[in-house]
Amino acid sequence: MATSVTAAGRPAAPADANLATRLVQWARGHRQATAYLGIVVAVGAVLFVWNLWTTRTAERAAGARLEQARLAVDSKNFRLAASELSQLVANYSGTHAAQQATILLAQVQLGQGQNQLAVDMLKRFAPDADRVYRAQAYGLLGAAYENVAHPKEAAEAYERAAEAARFPFLRAQFLSDAGRAWVAAGDTTRALAAYRAIVAAGDSTGAAMEAKVRIGELTRGAELP
């Protein structure tokens, strides 16, 4: 580190040393403020460690409850599964396990014909879901809307699912679902837009072939795929 030289030829004290000296002098002159600052820093450190520990503990507990709920689903005890999953979502909100539980609970509700319950829950959950779960949440919301005969809302949910999809083949599938829902809603223009997006991307051969067929049907052959 470079130092300046005095007129007598002696090196001047580095700026860092001067700063450190001033800080020490300030601390000596403001002992009470320094003590308060130390307390604040210590409390902050304790709270950080406590929050980290409680978060990890909650994740472990929520994970254990999720496994129990999955066992209930596997054994087709859907009433017990729904109860376990609902409690998990309520008691461990914010954990990854709770988000997985929300997805699984929606699947259980759809399987049991409780479509409106699924709609109400997924409408709250999907917008703020982690990216890992967002596409699936919107996809399930689209399915729930279709089941209650709300094709426009279903199509919009499927499009949001396509936007959030992390893999091309899933994006193509959700766009295909959106196209089908737009047709049911009577909006041919938006249905064609969804199908054309699949063809343009070329990410999924099967979905692209189906999209070309749908385009031909909607345009009555006027537009060659």
Side-chain angles (χ1 to χ4, degrees):
M1 179 176 63
T3 59
S4 59
V5 179
T6 64
R10 296 189 302 272
D16 290 349
N18 290 336
L19 177 60
T21 300
R22 288 197 297 271
L23 288 174
V24 170
Q25 291 174 346
W26 182 90
R28 288 174 178 172
H30 300 79
R31 294 182 183 276
Q32 188 174 21
T34 303
Y36 287 152
L37 181 61
I39 292 173
V40 169
V41 172
V43 170
V46 170
L47 290 176
F48 174 79
V49 173
W50 172 258
N51 182 65
L52 183 63
W53 180 80
T54 54
T55 298
R56 290 180 176 177
T57 301
E59 284 287 359
R60 286 195 295 269
R65 293 290 298 272
L66 181 60
E67 288 306 313
Q68 294 176 4
R70 282 176 172 158
L71 289 174
V73 172
D74 291 341
S75 63
K76 301 188 185 305
N77 190 342
F78 298 117
R79 179 175 296 181
L80 175 61
S83 175
E84 288 285 341
L85 291 167
S86 297
Q87 292 179 36
L88 196 163
V89 171
N91 296 333
Y92 296 95
S93 176
T95 63
H96 292 294
Q99 296 199 59
Q100 294 179 55
T102 303
I103 295 294
L104 187 54
L105 178 57
Q107 292 171 336
V108 169
Q109 290 171 338
L110 290 175
Q112 296 299 295
Q114 299 171 332
N115 298 293
Q116 192 57 52
L117 286 177
V119 166
D120 294 340
M121 180 179 66
L122 291 167
K123 280 173 61 178
R124 296 190 302 270
F125 171 71
D128 297 321
D130 285 352
R131 187 183 176 189
V132 176
Y133 310 108
R134 194 175 305 152
Q136 191 173 5
Y138 274 116
L140 289 169
L141 179 58
Y145 271 131
E146 278 195 290
N147 290 344
V148 295
H150 288 177
K152 178 179 180 294
E153 290 81 359
E156 291 171 344
Y158 285 134
E159 287 186 342
R160 295 293 299 274
E163 292 171 2
R166 302 171 67 194
F167 302 103
F169 75 92
L170 283 178
R171 179 177 182 274
Q173 180 58 58
F174 287 132
L175 284 174
S176 180
D177 293 335
R180 180 186 66 249
W182 282 125
V183 170
D187 194 332
T188 303
T189 300
R190 297 190 70 169
L192 283 170
Y195 289 129
R196 286 167 181 155
I198 297 172
V199 175
D203 294 322
S204 173
T205 303
M209 291 178 62
E210 180 184 353
K212 290 177 181 179
V213 171
R214 299 292 172 252
I215 291 171
E217 292 174 348
L218 293 172
T219 60
R220 292 179 171 82
E223 180 178 330
L224 293 176

